[in-house]
Amino acid sequence: MKIIVPMAGRGSRLRPHTVTVPKPLIPVAGKPIVHRLVEDIAKILKEPIEEIAFILGDEAFFGDDVVKSLEELAQSLGARASIYRQDLPLGTGHAIMCAKESLSGPAVIAYADTLIRADFDLDPSADAVIWVKQVDQPEAFGVVKLNANNEITELVEKPAEFVSDLAVIGIYYFKEVGNLKKELQNVLDNNIQNGGEYQINDGIKAMMAKGNVFKTGSVDEWMDCGNKNVTVETNTRMLGFLHNDGIHLVDYDVKLENSTIIPPCFIGEDVVLVNATVGPNVSLGKGSHVVDSAIKNSLIQTHVHIKNANLDNAMIGNHVVFDGNFTSISIGDYSVLE
């Protein structure tokens, strides 16, 4: 089994956090999104993973440190890492074809801006599986249409009229991913574009037209990391799941002085809390200091210094200094204070 992970986008909806850090590497509940996603998929598949192919953007943004972290991730799962580059943002189908050397045999394709909680078995009667989640507002998503045999007959993007409430979450299984490769090559060769990009859906539709059977897979939980608010919400939900699973989330050497941690929280190494209340639903990264402050429902990355603050629904990047009693401000591009 292979896992193919397109992650070339910079994540413009999550600025300023993605100005210097690729969105898939932003930590949720103390672990980068892409690490958590790949580990969860490997656990769900219940079979050996031979290769994980990562499709990255340009080297200036996805540098050697990113490559090293992904290679270590693959190695931890007993797989080899293959690194590919998508230098131009030409769509999901184009991104997948950047890894065409790895497109053979059974494979899962998973986009690295989503997290799931699931337990499933692959349907042996299906040529491919598209994972979906029932949603309340299907007009905001791509959805699948099913026939009487629960086979997917159509993919519809953001339907104006009701087609289905089963939203595509961006995770796919192909019994032979080489079939998708063949159809996507045809998409590229014939310059078949939607919205100015080459899309995976055009390859999937061509496979369906040739009689390939597509079934749906369902997940228990689908958590988006598209923008700040939903990422903070995803952090909250993931902390709750991990806490209920009995995972220890607070570093044993956290320094507490007249401070309280209200679970669930992730507290990283070398964190110092002085006259502070942290939690519930807070991720606080390595090397951070919180003084005379209260924080809840927030995602805070590494080496952050917070003082005199009362924070709720906050998302703060790395190496930030924030004093709630500020009289002087130095804020970079894309920063938001509300």
Side-chain angles (χ1 to χ4, degrees), residues 241-315:
F241 295 138
L242 297 173
H243 179 73
N244 290 338
D245 289 345
I247 306 298
H248 186 79
L249 297 170
V250 177
D251 187 79
Y252 289 105
D253 293 327
V254 59
K255 295 180 175 59
L256 295 173
E257 182 179 324
N258 192 33
S259 295
T260 302
I261 299 172
I262 304 172
C265 286
F266 168 82
I267 309 292
E269 301 174 2
D270 302 320
V271 167
V272 176
L273 305 178
V274 179
N275 299 323
T277 299
V278 174
N281 308 317
V282 173
S283 287
L284 189 57
K286 176 180 179 179
S288 294
H289 289 212
V290 179
V291 179
D292 298 327
S293 299
I295 306 172
K296 61 182 178 181
N297 306 314
S298 296
L299 198 168
I300 296 164
Q301 297 189 47
T302 65
H303 304 287
V304 173
H305 286 238
I306 295 171
K307 186 178 179 182
N308 303 317
N310 189 353
L311 299 177
D312 187 2
N313 191 37
M315 186 169 176

Side-chain angles (χ1 to χ4, degrees), residues 104-122:
S104 62
V108 169
I109 295 175
Y111 294 101
D113 59 355
T114 190
L115 292 171
I116 61 171
R117 298 280 285 187
D119 185 13
F120 51 71
D121 295 313
L122 294 173

Side-chain angles (χ1 to χ4, degrees), residues 143-185:
V143 300
V144 299
K145 186 176 182 179
L146 306 179
N147 63 16
N149 296 322
N150 287 322
E151 297 170 352
I152 300 172
T153 59
E154 193 174 352
L155 296 171
V156 183
E157 186 64 28
K158 297 182 179 179
E161 298 181 1
F162 183 83
V163 173
S164 162
D165 59 0
L166 299 177
V168 177
I169 69 170
I171 302 177
Y172 311 80
Y173 164 75
F174 296 89
K175 187 180 293 184
E176 176 45 73
V177 76
N179 293 330
L180 176 67
K181 173 184 176 180
K182 179 180 178 181
E183 301 305 335
L184 286 178
Q185 187 62 59

Side-chain angles (χ1 to χ4, degrees), residues 127 152-154 183 201-214:
D127 296 305
I152 300 172
T153 59
E154 193 174 352
E183 301 305 335
N201 281 1
D202 289 310
I204 290 173
K205 290 174 183 177
M207 288 180 65
M208 289 180 182
K210 292 183 176 179
N212 287 267
V213 175
F214 279 72

Side-chain angles (χ1 to χ4, degrees), residues 135-143 156-159 166-168 222 224:
V135 295
D136 294 330
Q137 296 178 305
E139 66 275 9
F141 302 91
V143 300
V156 183
E157 186 64 28
K158 297 182 179 179
L166 299 177
V168 177
W222 173 32
D224 189 18

Side-chain angles (χ1 to χ4, degrees), residues 40-111:
D40 286 348
I41 289 174
K43 188 185 305 179
I44 291 166
L45 289 174
K46 306 184 184 87
E47 58 182 275
I49 309 300
E50 66 175 88
E51 178 185 6
I52 305 175
F54 299 97
I55 300 103
L56 312 182
D58 61 86
E59 294 186 34
F61 194 55
F62 293 85
D64 292 343
D65 55 337
V66 174
V67 171
K68 181 180 179 183
S69 74
L70 297 175
E71 289 174 339
E72 290 174 348
L73 170 61
Q75 185 178 17
S76 72
L77 297 171
R80 71 178 185 275
S82 298
I83 305 296
Y84 298 95
R85 298 284 178 178
Q86 184 189 27
D87 294 329
L88 296 173
L90 296 178
T92 56
H94 178 267
I96 292 164
M97 287 300 288
C98 290
K100 60 184 177 182
E101 293 176 10
S102 295
L103 299 182
S104 62
V108 169
I109 295 175
Y111 294 101

